[in-house]
Amino acid sequence: MTGTAGSSGHEVQLPEAEYILPLRWFSDDGLDELTGYLRLLSGWIRITVVDGSAPALFNVHAAAWAGLVEHRRPEVWPGRNGKVAGVMTGVRHSRKEYLVLADDDVRYTLPALRRLVALLAGADVVRPQNYFLTLPWHARWDTARTLLNRAVASDFPGTLGVRRSALEATDGYDGDVLFENLELIRTVKAAGGRELRADNLFVGRIPATAAHFRGQRIRQAYDDFAQPVRLAVELTLLPLIIFAARRPARWIPLLAAAVAMAEAGRRRKNGRAVFPPTSALWVPCWLLERAVCIWLALGQRLAGGVKYAGNRMPTAGTPRYQLRRKYAAQRSQHIPSPLPPRDQERNFPCSQPSRSSQPSQPSELSLPSRATSS
């Protein structure tokens, strides 16, 4: 395929797309590993890194990534979620229609990146599936959550594909919510955009440190205030556990059902290609964690919001009906629809990936990242 010049001036293999990486680091422990990934990535796609790190780290990054990426500061964006400001800064300065948004721990292969960009030809936002490249105990624990999500719907990854025109037409998305990926998807769909859930497009992810994992438990539970049905179900977990504790035999059907559900998620859409056979057995650990943490998250909600990046975030996400009402009001006032009318709920069938399209796991990408992004 004939390429065009990327961030470094050389030809890239996906000239129609751009990779936007928002980050804010407090430590450079993972700098060498990320730099190696960006060097590889820069031969495939144009890259913009929106860096909210402190000035000393920002300068180190600028030197390390010179010639590989376009490196810039985040611009002002309403709200307390710095990641949204980073994404929208990249979108406003992007030169391409097809955008790949990714956290700093996401690791694409070229086949996965090609497929994501190709899918954007028929959708406004594409949701792939993350999996962990290495499996320390806490990555196995968190994989259980992923499998349950796959069993009932789709998981929420740390990367999305989105059309630049879709975000520009909606004037961006709310920067005052915690669950920013869900907010982006809902905003695009409410404006008439089309989401594609590519549950068998597997994109690797480097697990966080165990300490960072522990610090995320209540914050992740707080995300469920953006999903009322899920919130209601999870609030019943602790009462069920207390009920079953009186007679240990009651645990057997409850745990068996949970493990069976997770295994169904593992088998769905070729998930066995990346999720090990023992993954579903970690579901009881995750359910016990969520049973406690969802009530702690409720306590933080009553106290004014969950603590996140030095702020309190009271809102997990904007309800769908509010977003739909907003764009319906625009249409009723004869404001042109941001996007052409489309079937918002349609999920395109995704072909099963061939062996050649399965994500590879090169050794240089398997080191643990200690970076903390906003």
Side-chain angles (χ1 to χ4, degrees):
M1 176 179 180
T2 301
T4 60
S7 305
S8 59
H10 59 255
E11 291 190 343
V12 295
Q13 300 190 46
L14 295 166
E16 69 274 35
E18 185 168 346
Y19 192 99
I20 297 176
L21 169 56
L23 59 80
R24 183 174 66 167
W25 281 13
F26 302 96
S27 166
D28 265 352
D29 291 347
L31 179 60
D32 290 343
E33 190 279 332
L34 179 59
T35 301
Y37 172 62
L38 293 177
R39 184 173 294 111
L40 182 67
L41 193 65
S42 66
W44 305 340
I45 190 171
R46 176 182 174 83
I47 310 168
T48 294
V49 176
V50 184
D51 189 352
S53 305
L57 291 179
F58 181 92
N59 292 335
V60 171
H61 299 165
W65 302 333
L68 300 179
V69 309
E70 180 177 333
H71 185 230
R72 61 173 62 248
R73 282 286 190 187
E75 298 171 350
V76 175
W77 186 262
R80 288 164 280 190
N81 193 319
K83 183 179 174 183
V84 177
V87 167
M88 291 310 303
T89 298
V91 170
R92 285 183 296 200
H93 290 276
S94 63
R95 306 177 187 179
K96 307 296 181 181
E97 170 66 0
Y98 297 161
L99 304 179
V100 181
L101 313 179
D103 291 346
D104 57 4
D105 57 358
V106 169
R107 299 293 178 266
Y108 274 91
T109 61
L110 180 56
L113 198 59
R114 282 190 190 279
R115 185 166 173 228
L116 180 71
V117 172
L119 292 174
L120 279 171
D124 296 293
V125 60
V126 177
R127 192 197 314 189
Q129 174 66 66
N130 275 147
Y131 72 99
F132 289 115
L133 290 167
T134 60
L135 290 168
W137 68 268
H138 55 283
R140 297 176 186 274
W141 187 302
D142 204 37
T143 295
R145 172 188 57 83
T146 295
L147 298 185
L148 290 176
N149 284 341
R150 286 174 61 85
V152 298
S154 295
D155 193 34
F156 285 95
T159 180
L160 295 171
V162 65
R163 284 178 175 261
R164 178 186 174 188
S165 57
L167 276 181
E168 287 182 334
T170 61
D171 293 324
Y173 59 115
D174 195 343
D176 234 357
V177 302
L178 182 66
F179 201 166
E180 77 286 336
N181 276 359
L182 175 62
E183 187 74 11
L184 186 156
I185 292 170
R186 283 183 175 177
T187 300
V188 170
K189 292 177 67 177
R194 175 183 293 163
E195 178 195 8
L196 191 159
R197 298 183 181 183
D199 296 323
N200 61 359
L201 172 50
F202 301 112
V203 180
R205 193 168 193 174
I206 296 176
T209 64
H212 186 67
F213 169 81
R214 287 191 291 268
Q216 291 276 304
R217 297 307 86 212
I218 298 176
R219 191 210 65 77
Q220 282 194 3
Y222 201 92
D223 284 343
D224 289 340
F225 284 95
Q227 304 171 90
V229 173
R230 179 173 181 140
L231 174 67
V233 171
E234 291 183 358
L235 286 172
T236 67
L237 290 176
L238 189 59
L240 280 174
I241 290 172
I242 294 172
F243 168 76
R246 297 179 180 179
R247 293 184 181 178
R250 292 171 175 166
W251 284 93
I252 297 174
L254 292 176
L255 294 181
V259 171
M261 180 180 291
E263 179 61 18
R266 189 181 80 89
R267 293 171 179 265
R268 181 172 170 266
K269 296 287 185 178
N270 202 33
R272 285 177 288 186
V274 295
F275 301 117
T278 58
S279 298
L281 299 179
W282 287 80
V283 164
C285 299
W286 183 84
L287 287 176
L288 180 60
E289 169 220 308
R290 184 53 59 93
V292 174
C293 287
I294 195 65
W295 285 94
L296 295 176
L298 178 60
Q300 292 206 7
R301 172 86 168 198
L302 297 175
V306 68
K307 294 180 180 179
Y308 176 70
N311 296 307
R312 275 203 179 269
M313 302 285 289
T315 305
T318 307
R320 292 186 184 90
Y321 75 88
Q322 290 185 11
L323 291 169
R324 289 171 182 155
R325 184 181 299 165
K326 172 183 175 180
Y327 292 105
Q330 288 187 359
R331 288 188 288 271
S332 67
Q333 295 169 12
H334 306 291
I335 299 174
S337 177
L339 294 169
R342 288 174 175 172
D343 180 0
Q344 298 180 28
E345 303 302 326
R346 180 181 177 188
N347 291 326
F348 287 79
C350 300
S351 60
Q352 295 295 326
S354 65
R355 184 178 300 273
S356 62
S357 69
Q358 290 302 314
S360 60
Q361 301 183 28
S363 59
E364 68 269 23
L365 303 186
S366 62
L367 299 176
S369 170
R370 300 179 184 176
T372 303
S373 59
S374 61

